[in-house]
Amino acid sequence: NAYTDVPIIYDAKRGDINNTNEGYVTAAFDKLQAGAITVHPTMGSVAMKPFMDRADRGTVVLCKTSNDGSGQFQNQTLMGSGQMMYEYVAEVVSSEWNYNNNCLLVVGATYTEELATVRGIVGTMAILVPGIGAQGGDLKATLRAGLIPGTLDGLIINSSRDIIYASSGEDFADTARIKTLRLHDAINTCRHEMRQAA
């Protein structure tokens, strides 16, 4: 990584048994020098431990993803707790898995009601939010649902396709930069408006 001040989240969505995950940890963190990696939680805490044990790196756990159809499993009610699966994931990750303060959750901008619910469960834990741009997530609604009350931070807003495919011409880099700066400014404008309204 030539830009060591820029955090890199490796969106690998890993999830396997613990000894296989040890290999993924080495590849992602030591060889690729990623700052964090996305993982599936359904294999359980023992399987995810190699990621979480790396206190110097982030473990970004899929909770309520932005894709169509994510509710098929993530919005199912669990018999034991009565919670929806995404709520249970948020609770377990924030209360048990975050022992190194290096866990984050993925909650899509396309599901702002669920985002607000997760924010209520996890307190000040950071949330990675995909779905702004090509997937149609509403930025203002997302910020209102997910920012930490008071500080108005705690979200990492991701906009991939809207920026990556901003142009296919020679002006790609400039166009992508303009799109990124517009999103940056829109986020800060909304946060300012929320502060003024408080």
Side-chain angles (χ1 to χ4, degrees), residues 22-175:
E22 287 170 7
Y24 289 143
V25 164
T26 299
F29 296 151
D30 300 324
K31 293 186 178 177
L32 295 177
Q33 294 295 304
I37 188 170
T38 56
V39 300
H40 285 280
T42 54
M43 295 287 280
S45 60
V46 173
M48 293 297 106
K49 197 172 185 300
F51 297 107
M52 299 179 300
D53 280 350
R54 284 295 296 265
D56 61 325
R57 306 296 165 124
T59 302
V60 188
V61 183
L62 301 182
C63 180
K64 175 57 184 170
T65 55
S66 58
N67 58 294
D68 290 338
S70 65
Q72 182 175 6
F73 293 105
Q74 296 165 8
N75 285 65
Q76 292 304 305
T77 302
L78 302 177
M79 289 191 299
S81 67
Q83 296 171 297
M84 290 190 188
M85 183 176 169
Y86 80 87
E87 294 173 309
Y88 181 69
V89 169
E91 181 182 299
V92 168
V93 172
S94 62
S95 65
E96 298 176 23
W97 292 14
N98 199 27
Y99 51 85
N100 278 322
N101 292 315
N102 64 338
C103 288
L104 300 82
L105 291 170
V106 174
V107 181
T110 48
Y111 298 103
T112 53
E113 185 176 324
E114 288 90 336
L115 176 57
T117 299
V118 170
R119 174 54 70 205
I121 293 169
V122 303
T124 59
M125 177 183 282
I127 300 172
L128 173 63
V129 184
I132 296 292
Q135 286 184 286
D138 182 278
L139 180 63
K140 286 187 178 182
T142 296
L143 296 174
R144 290 187 183 114
L147 287 171
I148 299 167
T151 63
L152 297 182
D153 58 16
L155 296 181
I156 301 171
I157 303 292
N158 178 64
S159 179
S160 297
R161 283 177 282 169
D162 206 42
I163 292 171
I164 293 171
Y165 300 117
S167 171
S168 59
E170 292 182 7
D171 64 341
F172 162 76
D174 291 334
T175 306

